[in-house]
Amino acid sequence: MDAAAAALAATSPSYQELRRRVDECGTRIVFVLGLPRGGTTALERFLYERLPFDAQVNEPSLLGPPTGEGRAEATFRRVLAAADEGATILVKEVTNKVLPAMTQLWARVARWCVVVVRSPALQLESRLKCMVDRADSGALAAFGVDADAR
């Protein structure tokens, strides 16, 4: 573990407790990671519906850290809240939300890491369609994007 990951681990009581539950209590984590619009949500739903998971945590770092708390602690606390001792948990994250040093921490607590890779052309098409749909719906009007200007 590099110095940045060690520092995150040392300052995150939730990570330390999650690691203890994995090491001592049989808690199992399946970690799914991929680029935005890359198919991670589809895989997450498929796995959760077909395998015996006790809990599911979707993008625990999405909301960012609460005031006065580090991002790693906030993220691992959300997972810990779902992690009963002996539970099997599915955690899904997208790459732009995971701090580089946190990948090393996830690798230490996850029993399995699944990295989703999608065709770049399909991923770009999906991202562009999502952006156009948001503009067409008027959801971006607050940011100066006029849906009728096209």
Side-chain angles (χ1 to χ4, degrees):
M1 183 180 330
D2 69 18
L8 283 177
T11 58
S12 175
S14 293
Y15 171 77
Q16 294 166 14
E17 176 60 17
L18 191 60
R19 177 86 191 261
R20 185 195 70 76
R21 290 185 189 183
V22 166
D23 291 344
E24 300 173 11
C25 304
T27 298
R28 292 166 305 282
I29 297 174
V30 175
F31 185 68
V32 175
L33 179 69
L35 291 167
R37 310 296 304 170
T40 54
T41 300
L43 179 63
E44 173 193 29
R45 288 180 184 157
F46 178 84
L47 292 173
Y48 193 73
E49 290 171 0
R50 288 163 179 81
L51 297 174
F53 287 100
D54 298 306
Q56 175 183 22
V57 184
N58 184 302
E59 300 180 17
S61 61
L62 181 65
L63 300 177
T67 303
E69 182 177 52
R71 186 172 186 176
E73 173 59 19
T75 299
F76 288 115
R77 190 183 68 251
R78 287 182 183 104
V79 176
L80 184 61
D84 291 333
E85 293 187 1
T88 300
I89 305 159
L90 178 63
V91 177
K92 190 268 281 194
E93 282 280 19
V94 289
T95 54
N96 62 329
K97 305 288 190 305
V98 179
L99 297 171
M102 286 179 64
T103 59
Q104 295 174 54
L105 303 183
W106 281 118
R108 290 180 175 259
V109 296
R111 186 165 193 167
W112 297 280
C113 291
V114 179
V115 178
V116 179
V117 179
R118 183 178 184 194
S119 163
L122 293 175
Q123 197 161 343
L124 179 60
E125 177 186 9
S126 177
R127 187 72 172 159
L128 291 173
K129 183 179 181 320
C130 180
M131 292 167 63
V132 169
D133 288 348
R134 284 188 184 158
D136 286 348
S137 73
L140 302 178
F143 302 101
V145 177
D146 184 5
D148 297 324
R150 294 189 318 142

